Amino acid sequence: MDEYSRFVDWDKMDVSAQSQDTKELTCTDFHELKQLARQGYWAKNHCLRAKVYHKLISNIPCRTVTPDANVYRDIVVKIVGKRNSSSLPLPEFVDNSLIPTYCLNAEGVGAIRKIILCIANQFPDISFCPALPSVIALLLHYSKDEAECFEQVCRILACNDPSKRLIDQTFLAFESSCMTFGDLVNKYCQAAHKLMVAVSEDVLEVYSDWQRWLFGELPMAYIARVFDVFLVEGYKVLYRVALALLKFFHKVRAGQPMESDSIQQDIRAFVRDIAKSVSPERLLEKAFAIRLFSRKEIQLLQMANEKALQQKGITVKQKSLAPPKRQNVHLAVHAENFKSEIVSVKEMRDIWSWIPERFALCQPLLLFTTLEHGCSLSRFYSHSEGHEPTLLLIKTTAKEVCGAYLSSDWSERRRGGNKLSFFGTGECFVFRLQPEVERYEWVIIKHPELASTGAETENHTQPASSTLSSSSIPSDPSDRLSPFLAARHFNLPSKTASMFMAGSSECIIIGGGDGQALYLDADLNHGRTSHCNTFNNQPLCSESFQISILEAEKIRNSLHLKPDFTVNGNQAVCRPRELYPAAARLDRFHCT
């Protein structure tokens, strides 16, 4: 045993996996450190892992005044006193959170609550931090005493590097991370996402569990390996591992009956018992095989989701015995308010399960239909402009149904003057519903190797041939909820990889490069479809078709708030008084 074993119950630890070889870590190069972390260089030596954690956490840039071990020694007696630690009430920001004990002895288990209370005393701005108990419990295994563990956790919480996100500390940050995870599942785990939509009453509630899988349900040997890499690479690692967990769950459980009446409970049980099917090494191998976009792109998506929540007044968790819920696809598209002559409510719900999660609290609203407004492209523009995102739905005379999700306002087509130019973002996609369901996303999503992203390309200028470098982002990005996957963030091989949408007085084009996913004429009577490079799609229907009906749907806000200002302590609170029926589950939220 070593000096970092004070809180460890070695009967619970897998001692056979521990090496007694004396190792040191001297490298400082980030890329080398990243590889060592992924390979588990310090995973099998308890003392070395403790020293590495101390070194990595000591290097986190923090606020000037960050509580240290001496602060803990000064305040713990005043805050805890002689009370039994097991009887200490937890602060609200970790209320109802799992408090894993992993391989801690009785002293270590008691220390968790004491450290949480001292952190609450020193960090009054923390309002929601469900991952905190797990992080404290984990670090206690590698700390000499409570004070050292307290200091290390404080440094993680006090990180002031805007590019280095570590632990969510507000309900807004947590909720937006859940939405971001849902977006990533939709893009990178489509088979699992389809299963979630099919069997869960509230698919978004399932995804809101993602941090609990990691910081609560994962066994000690697994979360420690994840934490090894997390301290080096940051928050993105958590998304990777959670996606890998969902992929393994789908692989192991696909085709089998549910073990409980809740997919949420089944996933939790699978993660708790993951050692039966997947090793820690295999889990990380799967996680890093997922070709996620750059940290910058994920930050943009997170910011967009935060902005969507703020605009809907969802920023603070209300006191409630029940966990927060967000609206699901079945509630978003409800029959009494839905109107379309092309798709059924069920088919629209299928489409709704594909759209970005920041719009999942919204409902479709018919903007334009050829049955009512006539077959005129100019009238289509006049009804569709000023709205984003929109859905384009087409039914052919052969009863085929296809369409497109379009991320940007059609008014942006004017930026090219009289010249037909492409605009939009990589969130656009095309699809067909009849005769079979198929969605085609931006080719870069499934093949990120076709483009360079991230900081290494931020200073690179876009090729002169790209028409999207100036037209894919509105002049005031702060008014936009869709900055994610803007083509200007990618070093694309050619402009054909980013021909999302274009329009003129003569036609509409969706997708381009060696063909067009959709081409519609000015009379909205005839169209063409073929493979295109932007979406790498198959023809969406008959290659030359006649339009029977064309509709445009906007995605409208389903939550209307009338402010009712009251006082909660020293805090003004705005509570929803009127809600659409579809947003009934949001009555647990209030905004400050």
Side-chain angles (χ1 to χ4, degrees):
M1 303 306 103
D2 55 61
E3 60 184 325
Y4 299 98
S5 300
R6 174 176 171 177
F7 302 111
V8 178
D9 183 341
W10 286 100
D11 291 335
K12 298 178 183 178
M13 289 281 275
D14 184 3
V15 182
S16 63
Q18 294 294 309
S19 169
Q20 300 304 316
D21 295 341
T22 55
K23 290 183 178 179
E24 295 295 333
L25 185 71
T26 57
C27 86
T28 55
D29 177 73
F30 171 75
H31 295 289
E32 184 181 353
L33 197 60
K34 183 169 76 171
Q35 290 305 312
L36 291 174
R38 292 187 180 189
Q39 293 165 8
Y41 179 81
W42 53 80
K44 293 185 178 181
N45 187 300
H46 187 265
C47 183
L48 178 62
R49 178 180 261 162
K51 292 177 179 178
V52 171
Y53 280 4
H54 182 79
K55 179 178 180 180
L56 292 174
I57 294 172
S58 296
N59 289 332
I60 293 175
C62 294
R63 300 195 289 259
T64 304
V65 180
T66 298
D68 59 13
N70 290 326
V71 169
Y72 183 83
R73 296 184 185 102
D74 288 341
I75 66 174
V76 65
V77 176
K78 301 174 186 176
I79 294 173
V80 178
K82 296 181 180 180
R83 290 177 293 172
N84 189 318
S85 60
S86 63
S87 65
L88 296 173
L90 290 174
E92 289 184 8
F93 62 73
V94 293
D95 192 25
N96 294 326
S97 299
L98 279 183
I99 303 182
T101 57
Y102 299 128
C103 301
L104 293 174
N105 57 26
E107 185 183 7
V109 173
I112 298 174
R113 287 177 176 261
K114 294 164 65 177
I115 294 172
I116 290 175
L117 288 169
C118 289
I119 286 174
N121 174 268
Q122 294 295 303
F123 289 83
D125 292 339
I126 296 180
S127 59
F128 195 74
C129 193
L132 184 60
S134 173
V135 173
I136 293 172
L138 178 63
L139 287 175
L140 276 169
H141 292 77
Y142 304 98
S143 300
K144 295 177 182 178
D145 53 32
E146 294 174 12
E148 183 179 87
C149 180
F150 170 85
E151 178 174 327
Q152 292 192 75
V153 176
C154 287
R155 290 195 65 82
I156 292 173
L157 294 171
C159 174
N160 62 357
D161 183 349
S163 66
K164 192 178 184 70
R165 184 174 179 212
L166 293 176
I167 296 179
D168 295 328
Q169 299 174 44
T170 66
F171 185 67
L172 178 63
F174 172 79
E175 279 291 287
S176 61
S177 78
C178 296
M179 295 170 68
T180 301
F181 178 69
D183 282 319
L184 295 175
V185 174
N186 199 353
K187 294 184 183 300
Y188 296 104
C189 306
Q190 294 183 8
H193 180 66
K194 188 175 181 180
L195 174 65
M196 299 302 113
V197 172
V199 302
S200 62
E201 292 184 1
D202 192 337
V203 65
L204 303 182
E205 185 182 357
V206 175
Y207 296 151
S208 71
D209 232 16
W210 79 279
Q211 288 196 26
R212 177 177 173 140
W213 304 342
L214 304 174
F215 297 111
E217 306 292 0
L218 264 185
M220 172 67 187
Y222 291 75
I223 186 58
R225 290 288 289 112
V226 173
F227 205 73
D228 291 346
V229 189
F230 166 73
L231 286 179
V232 177
E233 299 186 44
Y235 201 91
K236 185 177 175 181
V237 169
L238 305 181
Y239 284 134
R240 284 187 179 280
V241 176
L243 290 171
L245 287 170
L246 201 56
K247 281 179 175 284
F248 278 122
F249 172 81
H250 177 261
K251 181 180 179 180
V252 172
R253 297 290 177 85
Q256 297 182 16
M258 290 176 58
E259 295 185 355
S260 71
D261 57 358
S262 165
I263 190 71
Q264 198 170 11
Q265 294 299 329
D266 278 11
I267 297 175
R268 290 177 183 177
F270 171 78
V271 176
R272 281 196 300 271
D273 298 331
I274 193 171
K276 295 178 180 178
S277 52
V278 181
S279 68
E281 291 72 27
R282 183 74 185 97
L283 177 63
L284 288 181
E285 181 183 335
K286 172 69 81 173
F288 290 108
I290 301 171
R291 299 292 300 274
L292 286 184
F293 285 117
S294 70
R295 185 176 290 104
K296 176 181 177 181
E297 283 300 315
I298 292 177
Q299 282 180 330
L300 286 171
L301 178 56
Q302 182 90 14
M303 289 166 57
N305 285 331
E306 284 193 12
K307 192 171 184 68
L309 288 167
Q310 288 172 325
Q311 290 185 356
K312 295 180 192 307
I314 302 171
T315 59
V316 177
K317 181 179 181 291
Q318 271 192 310
K319 297 178 182 179
S320 171
L321 294 177
K325 289 188 177 183
R326 293 189 306 278
Q327 187 174 328
N328 65 15
V329 295
H330 294 85
L331 291 173
V333 185
H334 48 101
E336 60 269 28
N337 290 339
F338 176 66
K339 181 181 179 182
S340 173
E341 297 297 326
I342 297 179
V343 297
S344 65
V345 173
K346 180 183 181 303
E347 288 171 324
M348 183 58 90
R349 286 172 178 165
D350 287 338
I351 297 171
W352 225 246
S353 71
W354 298 332
I355 70 171
E357 290 219 5
R358 60 189 180 278
F359 300 114
L361 298 179
C362 305
Q363 299 178 48
L365 176 67
L366 187 65
L367 290 174
F368 172 87
T369 171
T370 51
L371 294 179
E372 179 180 342
H373 302 106
C375 299
S376 165
L377 188 53
S378 62
R379 282 197 288 275
F380 169 85
Y381 288 140
S382 67
H383 284 82
S384 300
E385 287 178 2
H387 303 286
E388 67 172 46
T390 55
L391 285 172
L392 181 67
L393 300 171
I394 299 167
K395 185 174 184 178
T396 71
T397 53
K399 301 190 183 303
E400 302 158 307
V401 175
C402 60
Y405 171 85
L406 304 170
S407 64
S408 301
D409 190 333
W410 277 108
S411 63
E412 291 189 32
R413 76 185 195 282
R414 297 199 188 94
R415 295 193 173 188
N418 296 324
K419 180 182 176 183
L420 185 72
S421 62
F422 284 88
F423 56 98
T425 73
E427 286 192 306
C428 294
F429 60 82
V430 295
F431 58 88
R432 63 167 173 256
L433 298 178
Q434 298 289 345
E436 69 277 333
V437 178
E438 190 69 52
R439 171 178 57 152
Y440 299 97
E441 296 185 289
W442 186 26
V443 65
I444 303 298
I445 290 176
K446 288 191 175 180
H447 300 283
E449 69 275 6
L450 297 177
S452 300
T453 64
E456 69 272 15
T457 61
E458 286 179 14
N459 295 324
H460 293 188
T461 57
Q462 291 288 337
S465 59
S466 174
T467 60
L468 287 110
S469 58
S470 61
S471 60
S472 59
I473 296 293
S475 56
D476 184 7
S478 65
D479 292 335
R480 187 185 184 88
L481 289 181
S482 312
F484 183 54
L485 301 188
R488 69 191 178 100
H489 300 152
F490 294 80
N491 189 19
L492 299 173
S494 71
K495 67 178 181 179
T496 62
S498 57
M499 292 179 165
F500 302 115
M501 52 193 289
S504 69
S505 59
E506 299 176 356
C507 67
I508 281 176
I509 297 174
I510 311 296
D514 294 333
Q516 295 151 349
L518 281 172
Y519 173 94
L520 307 178
D521 68 10
D523 296 325
L524 299 183
N525 279 323
H526 296 90
R528 300 192 303 268
T529 178
S530 64
H531 169 272
C532 76
N533 292 340
T534 300
F535 299 111
N536 192 28
N537 60 288
Q538 296 299 312
L540 303 179
C541 57
S542 302
E543 293 194 16
S544 180
F545 58 88
Q546 187 168 352
I547 298 171
S548 173
I549 309 172
L550 182 144
E551 294 175 350
E553 302 261 359
K554 77 174 259 191
I555 297 174
R556 70 175 178 179
N557 186 350
S558 65
L559 174 62
H560 285 241
L561 299 177
K562 285 189 176 181
D564 178 15
F565 288 96
T566 59
V567 176
N568 181 9
N570 295 321
Q571 191 175 50
V573 174
C574 168
R575 302 180 184 276
R577 291 170 58 185
E578 286 194 3
L579 301 167
Y580 274 87
R585 295 189 179 189
L586 291 169
D587 57 8
R588 295 190 192 89
F589 296 115
H590 67 277
C591 60
T592 58

